[in-house]
Amino acid sequence: MSINEKLETYLQEILSKIREGKVVLFLGAGASRAAGGPLAKTLTEMIKKKFSKIDQSLTEFIDVCQDVIDTPSYHRNQLEEFIKSQLDSLRPTQAHEIMTKYDWAAIFTTNFDDLIELAYRLTPGRIKNPQPIYSEKFQVNPADRSKIYIFKIMGSIAALESETGTMVLSRSDYTRALRRRKGYIRILSDFVKNGTILFIGYSFGDRFILDIIDEIIEEYGIDRLPWSYALFDQLELDEKTNYKFMRRKIIPLKCSFEEFLNIWTKIMKSLPKLLNLSALN
């Protein structure tokens, strides 16, 4: 079987799960790039340039933001407003609009931007209305399929006034986010029963997503963890990287966010009896 045939086979498998409403979508910064959203590394460098009095040797996003907050010349509000200014002008792409036509079980994201929420609000043919979740205290019924829950794991630019929904910019924010994450992981396991997880826009270069998966394994066991899929614009697998994915039951696929949705649209058009395509036209 060729690489393209394997990719299409995997996409067919995911599509089958989506038709059953059993795919949880996990979106990272790469899914916002086509809309002009910066990747974490780029945003970190932008912050260092804007707040030039901080330690320029720092490279990690949280460390850089914490140093801004700890520098007397600056204030957290300035940092929040700067980040918001880089993100609040973003508008959903066609891929984001197409995304709203699929029956996701739920959406989880580590992105600060509100592109997903906007896509759902602005797209007339969306399947469901969005319900963003920012806080530690929330009530969600996984059996309620009348809306799409969007879990903002790291906070949101749309929740600056909310204590628990604020963007994760400091070490104390991160500690609070870890507590919030535990609640989100519990609900994630409910949404993904008999289904799968689809990761889009993550490089897996840091530990964050891997830690989430490891937490699920620790809490529920590897047998409860479904095989999931991760899409990459570019994909080079060495033995160690492949092992990192396989031991966490992740199937890596070379396919961008935009390519992925375009391929699916073609698949759906070739199977008109399987889905109601009126919303896509």
Side-chain angles (χ1 to χ4, degrees):
M1 184 181 292
S2 69
I3 293 176
N4 288 336
E5 287 173 334
K6 287 184 67 175
L7 174 61
E8 186 164 330
T9 297
Y10 284 131
L11 291 181
Q12 291 278 13
E13 290 174 1
I14 301 169
L15 178 57
S16 177
K17 288 292 185 183
I18 288 182
R19 288 173 53 217
E20 299 171 9
K22 294 181 178 179
V23 175
V24 171
L25 187 61
F26 235 105
L27 292 178
S32 299
R33 186 166 49 186
L39 297 178
K41 184 177 180 180
T42 304
L43 182 58
T44 301
E45 291 303 315
M46 293 166 68
I47 293 170
K48 288 168 66 175
K49 184 176 181 180
K50 172 67 175 178
F51 301 94
S52 57
K53 294 180 182 179
I54 69 169
D55 183 351
Q56 295 294 310
S57 68
L58 297 173
T59 58
E60 297 298 322
F61 178 79
I62 289 292
D63 293 337
V64 169
C65 290
Q66 183 69 65
D67 206 40
V68 172
I69 295 169
D70 289 339
T71 300
S73 305
Y74 306 127
H75 191 275
R76 178 179 176 123
N77 286 346
Q78 293 174 282
L79 176 61
E80 289 179 342
E81 289 303 321
F82 175 73
I83 293 174
K84 185 177 180 181
S85 71
Q86 306 305 310
L87 302 176
D88 63 3
S89 63
L90 302 181
R91 288 297 177 266
T93 64
Q94 184 180 19
H96 287 99
E97 293 172 5
I98 292 173
M99 183 186 73
T100 69
K101 314 294 180 64
Y102 294 93
D103 187 17
W104 309 106
I107 298 176
F108 288 73
T109 180
T110 50
N111 296 344
F112 293 147
D113 64 59
D114 59 353
L115 279 171
I116 307 171
E117 299 95 308
L118 277 174
Y120 273 94
R121 291 179 189 132
L122 298 176
T123 304
R126 63 184 180 272
I127 288 181
K128 300 176 182 176
N129 291 323
Q131 178 62 61
I133 305 291
Y134 310 115
S135 65
E136 295 176 35
K137 297 179 180 179
F138 61 91
Q139 291 185 335
V140 170
N141 178 9
D144 178 9
R145 304 304 303 272
S146 64
K147 60 179 73 71
I148 180 70
Y149 292 107
I150 304 171
F151 294 88
K152 309 283 286 192
I153 299 175
M154 302 298 281
S156 171
I157 60 170
L160 288 178
E161 303 303 320
S162 168
E163 181 182 357
T164 58
T166 285
M167 292 181 288
V168 175
L169 304 176
S170 68
R171 286 295 169 190
S172 60
D173 292 340
Y174 191 78
T175 299
R176 196 160 52 241
L178 288 178
R179 293 198 299 269
R180 183 167 66 225
R181 190 174 80 185
K182 288 185 180 297
Y184 289 0
I185 287 175
R186 283 194 294 271
I187 204 71
L188 169 62
S189 67
D190 288 331
F191 275 111
V192 82
K193 284 179 180 176
N194 303 316
T196 189
I197 305 171
L198 179 63
F199 298 98
I200 300 178
Y202 291 102
S203 68
F204 286 82
D206 61 34
R207 291 283 320 175
F208 192 82
I209 292 299
L210 297 177
D211 286 346
I212 287 178
I213 298 172
D214 289 345
E215 244 181 276
I216 296 173
I217 294 173
E218 182 178 345
E219 184 76 18
Y220 300 103
I222 189 68
D223 292 338
R224 286 278 301 276
L225 182 70
W227 278 96
S228 59
Y229 304 84
L231 303 188
F232 297 89
D233 290 1
Q234 301 295 326
L235 180 62
E236 294 183 9
L237 289 176
D238 55 29
E239 184 179 359
K240 183 176 180 180
T241 303
N242 189 60
Y243 176 72
K244 177 173 67 176
F245 288 131
M246 290 299 104
R247 70 179 293 268
R248 294 175 176 88
K249 299 172 72 172
I250 300 173
I251 299 171
L253 304 173
K254 185 179 181 301
C255 184
S256 72
F257 180 42
E258 291 73 25
E259 289 172 334
F260 166 71
L261 291 173
N262 286 333
I263 290 172
W264 270 16
T265 300
K266 291 178 182 177
I267 291 174
M268 291 169 67
K269 286 181 177 178
S270 68
L271 301 171
K273 294 181 180 179
L274 296 182
L275 292 168
N276 179 6
L277 298 183
S278 59
L280 290 172
N281 297 324

